[in-house]
Amino acid sequence: MKDCVEESGKRNKNLSTEGKSLRILVVTECFWPDIYAINDIVEKLVQRGHKVTVLTGLPDYTTTRIPEEYKHGRNRHQNYKGADVYRVPTIARRHGPIWRSLSYLSFVTDGWLRAKTQDWKHTEVWGNASDADFDVIYVWEVSPVTMAVPAIALKKRYKKPLFLYCMDIWPECVKAMSIKEGTLPYKMIHAWTKRIYKQCDHIAVSSKPFFQYMEEKNGIPRSKMSYLPQYADVGLLELDTRKYKPDEAWSAQNEETPVRSRDVQDSEISVRAGNVQDSEASGKIAHVDFLFIGNIGKAQNLDCLMKAMTVFKGRNDVTLHMVGGGSEFDNIKKMAEDLGLDDIVTFYGPKPFKEAISFYNKADACVLTLDGSTHIGDTLPGKLQTYMAAGKPILAAANGAAMEVIREANCGKCVAAGDYEAYGRILQEFVKEIQSEGQTGTKFAKEIQSEDQTGTKFAKEIQSKDQTCADLANSCSDISRYGDNARRYFRENFMEEQHFTELERLLGEMIK
């Protein structure tokens, strides 16, 4: 993808300056004020000089109910960050597969009707001139794929190209609703899914393993598909998310003369010395913190994580921080209690992004599990990209794209999805490694401090203990490099500019 971005960079960077901005009609069942990535995509497209209109439903994801301000025909036409937003009435998803299915179908029917009857050539942002028109239809496809039905109606009515951004593969996703492959409902949904995908002019997939699935299951030729990974918030890239910061660690040990050296870098000496300033210094073992942030649903297969954490049962030196909510929140919380993990696992519920960021400073590593029983587990989860941007080692039990990226980036360790025994072992190995590094770092720091506090003497001690320093640096190199490797891979593959440059190229080629 990097080559594609470079090849098309000049042409796309000049879109706005040359007056070649696109008029994009976005079709998505999910949109603001619910929290979805499409909100940011629409905002960024407008900022890049494109004119955007959105066809969507009513918000209901956060509360599973339609908010009062959207009932009785209110707020059916809004403006979001410079984009026109038109809403069709939909049934609230509430709870359970029946209500969810009714919600999906309501967008299909009402969206199709609106696509057939409304004048989409003359929206507010496109103006009322006689030659007003739009260029391309963009479908942001998470579940369900049926949200593309109104887009297909628009394509046929206006003879416009249809671009679908696929982040959930169907019919695989229906298995999560207990619809088994081979049953009549599955076969009917599969037939409908194939027809929807085949009517798209181009499909961009967010995970590479999707290529094979789409070819084999839905008959989509590789020539009609492109790889377009999701981008993640780059704000985390610039933050110091280390659990303990070298400057703070050394300053706490020596307030009058902060220990610094031009010859030996902080990361080589004190990245783990700080990890134990409040524990090892007083004879206690270093505390290790794991972090999970994101949706707590069936696809995350958090049963595997809870079972793996039982290897630490009865210990007080390990904590798993669970930040987020979802359909399985209560079940996973109860499972932790039933497994006797009350003292090890802490649940915080959903947190706003700005507040959630602070949890990265608590963490030694981030954890990730996915369901491996279906191809849904092949998805590259946005959570993984966020972890990488935060510069944290990643310990995962996953298949498909997640395993591929972790190994390719060398940013952590990954075992097969669902293998909680193997997962428990890599968690144990990580804790052992962290704690052994902490002991070595603290011992070295104490030796340096006890001999002399002056900068000159310290420099001499550094030289005389260069082998000790080298040993320490080598022992912590893998873990410290995991975080560096994660951020490096993120910059090369998941930056916002790369995503939109490639998206603009793909859309531009469709309207030639």
Side-chain angles (χ1 to χ4, degrees):
M1 180 181 147
K2 187 176 179 181
D3 294 337
C4 294
V5 171
E6 290 175 353
E7 290 173 5
S8 60
K10 290 183 180 179
R11 177 177 56 186
N12 288 292
K13 285 179 182 177
N14 292 329
L15 273 173
S16 296
T17 58
E18 294 179 1
K20 296 181 180 178
S21 64
L22 301 175
R23 296 185 177 192
I24 305 168
L25 178 51
V26 174
V27 178
T28 173
E29 186 172 339
C30 316
F31 195 60
W32 163 85
D34 286 334
I35 301 173
Y36 288 102
I38 184 60
N39 303 349
D40 191 65
I41 291 173
V42 167
E43 180 180 357
K44 294 296 191 303
L45 286 171
V46 173
Q47 290 176 354
R48 294 172 74 89
H50 305 295
K51 295 181 179 180
V52 182
T53 294
V54 180
L55 170 59
T56 188
L58 302 179
D60 66 354
Y61 186 78
T62 305
T63 64
T64 72
R65 295 289 195 276
I66 306 298
E68 194 63 35
E69 59 269 28
Y70 286 93
K71 292 181 179 179
H72 311 300
R74 286 177 289 183
N75 289 313
R76 293 300 191 264
H77 180 204
Q78 296 178 289
N79 185 284
Y80 175 76
K81 309 288 186 178
D84 247 349
V85 181
Y86 293 90
R87 300 184 185 276
V88 299
T90 49
I91 297 172
R93 65 179 61 210
R94 303 191 186 184
H95 296 286
I98 295 178
W99 279 110
R100 192 183 311 165
S101 298
L102 289 173
S103 177
Y104 292 167
L105 289 173
S106 66
F107 182 75
V108 170
T109 55
D110 291 332
W112 179 87
L113 183 63
R114 182 69 65 87
K116 286 287 190 178
T117 57
Q118 181 171 319
D119 179 7
W120 293 98
K121 283 189 174 185
H122 301 91
T123 66
E124 193 169 290
V125 296
W126 296 335
N128 293 314
S130 58
D131 59 347
D133 202 352
F134 61 93
D135 300 307
V136 64
I137 304 161
Y138 172 106
V139 178
W140 189 77
E141 188 253 309
V142 291
S143 291
V145 69
T146 52
M147 69 170 65
V149 170
I152 293 171
L154 288 164
K155 170 190 172 177
K156 292 179 177 179
R157 180 183 177 190
Y158 291 102
K159 309 294 188 245
K160 300 295 182 181
L162 172 54
F163 176 92
L164 184 140
Y165 188 27
C166 175
M167 282 158 289
D168 284 342
I169 45 175
W170 278 62
E172 197 69 17
C173 287
V174 302
K175 294 178 181 179
M177 295 186 283
S178 301
I179 299 176
K180 295 182 179 180
E181 189 169 358
T183 62
L184 180 60
Y186 181 90
K187 290 178 180 178
M188 293 174 63
I189 293 172
H190 187 193
W192 195 7
T193 296
K194 288 178 69 174
R195 189 159 60 250
I196 290 172
Y197 282 134
K198 287 187 175 182
Q199 292 185 79
C200 298
D201 294 288
H202 196 83
I203 297 173
V205 298
S206 59
S207 302
K208 289 181 180 178
F210 286 6
F211 285 134
Q212 182 177 353
Y213 181 89
M214 294 290 279
E215 283 185 292
E216 295 178 356
K217 278 285 184 182
N218 295 311
I220 306 301
R222 180 65 178 81
S223 59
K224 280 187 62 175
M225 296 185 285
S226 298
Y227 176 52
L228 185 64
Q230 298 183 68
Y231 65 95
D233 194 298
V234 297
L236 284 170
L237 282 172
E238 308 306 323
L239 297 180
D240 185 354
T241 58
R242 287 171 295 175
K243 184 177 181 181
Y244 294 91
K245 303 176 177 62
D247 290 348
E248 295 174 2
W250 284 104
S251 296
Q253 294 169 358
N254 182 6
E255 293 181 359
E256 294 183 358
T257 309
V259 180
R260 303 291 296 172
S261 171
R262 291 176 293 176
D263 301 319
V264 183
Q265 295 181 5
D266 291 329
S267 60
E268 295 176 328
I269 304 175
S270 58
V271 68
R272 287 299 165 193
N275 194 21
V276 290
Q277 62 171 341
D278 295 324
S279 53
E280 287 291 341
S282 58
K284 298 179 181 178
I285 199 165
H287 194 96
V288 178
D289 294 272
F290 295 117
L291 174 64
F292 174 92
I293 290 187
N295 185 50
I296 299 177
K298 286 187 177 181
Q300 283 68 47
N301 193 24
L302 290 168
D303 295 39
C304 176
L305 176 57
M306 293 301 116
K307 291 176 182 177
M309 286 298 295
T310 59
V311 299
F312 303 113
K313 193 174 179 179
R315 293 175 59 166
N316 60 4
D317 59 335
V318 176
T319 299
L320 168 62
H321 304 273
M322 300 286 294
V323 182
S327 61
E328 290 294 296
F329 179 86
D330 292 335
N331 292 336
I332 295 301
K333 189 174 182 180
K334 185 179 184 303
M335 183 179 186
E337 294 170 355
D338 292 343
L339 292 172
L341 301 176
D342 308 58
D343 297 332
I344 298 175
V345 183
T346 303
F347 292 86
Y348 299 87
K351 296 291 180 182
F353 179 74
K354 290 184 179 179
E355 189 175 335
I357 289 176
S358 64
F359 282 90
Y360 287 105
N361 290 112
K362 303 176 186 292
D364 291 284
C366 291
V367 293
L368 170 71
T369 54
L370 291 174
D371 180 21
S373 62
T374 69
H375 287 284
I376 297 172
D378 291 341
T379 303
L380 180 62
K383 181 190 295 89
L384 174 59
Q385 295 164 302
T386 304
Y387 287 170
M388 296 179 82
K392 289 293 178 180
I394 299 164
L395 305 176
N399 300 333
M403 177 181 281
E404 179 182 312
V405 167
I406 291 170
R407 291 180 175 176
E408 185 177 321
N410 189 25
C411 62
K413 295 181 179 180
C414 186
V415 299
D419 191 345
Y420 66 88
E421 292 180 343
Y423 195 36
R425 286 194 293 272
I426 67 170
L427 295 177
Q428 279 182 312
E429 290 169 4
F430 184 86
V431 169
K432 183 178 179 180
E433 197 169 352
I434 286 285
Q435 292 176 339
S436 64
E437 290 168 6
Q439 292 168 354
T440 306
T442 302
K443 180 181 178 182
F444 180 55
K446 284 182 176 179
E447 288 177 0
I448 294 296
Q449 287 180 301
S450 64
E451 301 202 15
D452 203 317
Q453 299 294 330
T454 66
T456 303
K457 183 67 175 177
F458 174 70
K460 292 180 180 179
E461 293 298 337
I462 287 293
Q463 294 174 358
S464 68
K465 297 179 185 293
D466 56 352
Q467 186 58 48
T468 303
C469 176
D471 292 342
L472 174 59
N474 289 331
S475 70
C476 69
S477 60
D478 284 345
I479 290 178
S480 63
R481 286 173 185 168
Y482 283 157
D484 293 338
N485 291 345
R487 280 182 162 168
R488 184 180 303 111
Y489 191 91
F490 182 98
R491 288 188 175 95
E492 292 174 355
N493 295 274
F494 303 135
M495 296 292 284
E496 175 187 304
E497 181 60 32
Q498 292 171 324
H499 177 96
F500 282 100
T501 300
E502 178 69 354
L503 174 60
E504 288 168 336
R505 185 186 72 81
L506 292 171
L507 296 179
E509 288 184 352
M510 292 177 69
I511 64 174
K512 286 180 179 178

